[in-house]
Amino acid sequence: MSRPGKTKFQIDLRRHLREHYVEENLIHLISEIAEASKYIIHSISTGDLGVAGTSNLYGEQQLALDVLADRILRKRLDHSRVVANMMSEEMDEIIPVSPDCGGKYSVAFDPLDGSSLVDVNLAVGTIVSIFQGCDLLQPGRKQVAALYILYGPRTTLVYSVGKGVHEFGMNMLREYTLLQENITIKPQGDLYSPGGQRNLYTPGVEAFISKLEQRGVKLRYSGGFVPDINQILLKGEGIFFYPHLQGKPEGKLRVLFELNPMAFLIEQAGGAASDGRKPILDLQPQQIHERSPVFIGCKKDVALAEELIRQLESDKDVTAKKKGKT
Ligand code: AFP
């Protein structure tokens, strides 16, 4: 896009959204989320690293930062006047904000993904998935926008409204200005991020990782979904997987809060995201805290994982495992 007299660093988030003819309420919503991130950054750098004394629906101990980041985002969304329903990974139920769905959006978010990494000073992030109207239990392909904010050595925001993937950096004035737009990833890459315990990998996944290692692919795994996905996007290559494991057929990552938004972004960048058999974005979630195995990144590498799982693990087995029948 030509912008006479402007360098890209002078293009702020709101202007970029306007240039892409994004609907005004959605511009306001994404801008409010970006604004909330400034307070989350502050809480990370100054907040208490301790536990909050509460646990979430998964029975995971909530860190004070989880609860704080969740509260910051919920308050912003609550007062935005453009949200119908919202759902946080840290909460048990969907939070209704407005009964009137017209012209409004529903938001699923992970306020501080990887929060357990903060006390070892590794990068963490906020992940957001946005649907039009009231319904959050839709296939991810229905999302109208997805974004994440990465709190690393630099604070960056990556978003898509279905018109490419674009990266912004927070400048000295704490504004997000354009760093790069229309990010794409190659069909095959030289990086892999293998999640989960390898001794619990199933035959198809074991064969997949062996193929990658025979190809000399480099291992890059931080333990944070946001920095690991950000690396694939910005290096333009790689595959992240947190697969179904023996005894854990659903894997670990949550469909609504982590997988749908990241799958939307990666597909927009020309990559793919699968549960090992079909696209993540085609999953019809049955409940808000649903988990799924995930293989996400370069298209050819995702296809290779699917092929090996198909060959070595019959659909019956995988389905049975997912339904916990084995
Ligand atoms: P937390 O948010 O509980 O720290 O988990 C982070 C995460 O969901 C995701 O960000 C990582 O990719 C994944 O867990 C790492 O899981 P392992 O620690 O089992 O590798």
Side-chain angles (χ1 to χ4, degrees):
M1 179 172 289
S2 74
R3 300 178 178 98
K6 284 267 182 196
T7 70
K8 63 180 178 183
F9 301 110
Q10 293 167 322
I11 305 301
D12 67 18
L13 179 59
R14 194 178 283 270
R15 176 185 167 125
H16 197 267
L17 289 162
R18 287 222 169 91
E19 282 179 352
H20 286 75
Y21 308 105
V22 176
E23 189 274 321
E24 271 308 312
N25 282 356
L26 186 53
I27 291 179
H28 177 63
L29 175 55
I30 292 173
S31 303
E32 283 298 284
I33 293 165
E35 197 59 26
S37 71
K38 298 174 186 174
Y39 298 88
I40 295 177
I41 297 166
H42 182 71
S43 66
I44 291 171
S45 48
T46 59
D48 167 17
L49 293 181
V51 294
T54 54
S55 60
N56 60 21
L57 185 85
Y58 310 97
E60 294 161 344
Q61 206 167 43
Q62 287 176 308
L63 300 174
L65 286 179
D66 284 327
V67 175
L68 188 52
D70 181 64
R71 200 173 296 153
I72 290 166
L73 255 174
R74 274 198 285 139
K75 194 169 168 202
R76 272 277 160 177
L77 295 175
D78 213 16
H79 294 96
S80 68
R81 302 184 317 285
V82 296
V83 171
N85 292 310
M86 60 180 165
M87 181 63 214
S88 157
E89 185 189 287
E90 298 305 325
M91 303 310 292
D92 299 352
E93 298 297 333
I94 290 179
I95 305 160
V97 177
S98 159
D100 155 33
C101 299
K104 291 190 171 60
Y105 297 90
S106 287
V107 187
F109 59 94
D110 184 347
L112 202 58
D113 182 81
S115 52
S116 54
L117 299 171
V118 174
D119 52 7
V120 291
N121 206 18
L122 283 176
V124 292
T126 296
I127 312 173
V128 183
S129 166
I130 301 174
F131 289 94
Q132 197 146 30
C134 281
D135 185 2
L136 279 167
L137 275 182
Q138 303 182 62
R141 208 165 291 287
K142 300 272 193 187
Q143 291 170 104
V144 292
L147 66 138
Y148 62 78
I149 296 116
L150 175 56
Y151 311 106
R154 293 183 298 128
T155 299
T156 55
L157 178 149
V158 171
Y159 90 88
S160 178
V161 290
K163 300 173 181 174
V165 181
H166 317 291
E167 184 201 21
F168 291 74
M170 182 176 278
N171 66 18
M172 308 257 274
L173 302 175
R174 299 174 85 77
E175 298 155 339
Y176 283 107
T177 58
L178 183 64
L179 293 178
Q180 53 181 319
E181 53 189 350
N182 302 315
I183 298 169
T184 56
I185 54 181
K186 296 184 293 190
Q188 191 172 63
D190 285 335
L191 299 177
Y192 72 112
S193 299
Q197 299 96 313
R198 182 151 181 190
N199 61 314
L200 300 178
Y201 279 6
T202 54
V205 181
E206 188 53 50
F208 174 61
I209 198 168
S210 300
K211 285 271 187 197
L212 293 176
E213 289 171 343
Q214 285 156 23
R215 210 166 83 202
V217 177
K218 286 196 292 284
L219 191 155
R220 292 286 183 275
Y221 189 78
S222 79
F225 194 38
V226 178
D228 288 346
I229 293 296
N230 188 67
Q231 177 168 227
I232 290 171
L233 275 171
L234 298 194
K235 288 205 189 297
E237 62 169 316
I239 180 161
F240 174 102
F241 50 102
Y242 207 110
H244 48 289
L245 302 170
Q246 293 169 37
K248 216 173 166 187
E250 301 303 319
K252 175 179 184 182
L253 301 186
R254 288 86 175 187
V255 175
L256 265 69
F257 312 107
E258 294 160 319
L259 300 185
N260 272 345
M262 291 309 201
F264 184 85
L265 291 165
I266 289 287
E267 282 203 7
Q268 277 291 311
S274 167
D275 70 352
R277 294 179 303 138
K278 65 178 193 186
I280 291 287
L281 293 181
D282 293 338
L283 297 178
Q284 172 54 63
Q286 299 307 314
Q287 50 98 5
I288 44 183
H289 289 281
E290 193 158 312
R291 299 171 192 259
S292 169
V294 63
F295 301 78
I296 181 170
C298 292
K299 240 179 192 160
K300 281 189 176 175
D301 290 332
V302 172
L304 175 62
E306 289 181 327
E307 180 53 35
L308 290 167
I309 290 168
R310 202 175 7 258
Q311 280 175 17
L312 301 170
E313 301 172 24
S314 73
D315 274 3
K316 180 179 64 61
D317 293 344
V318 175
T319 308
K321 282 181 194 148
K322 280 193 83 166
K323 290 194 176 111
K325 283 182 186 153
T326 51

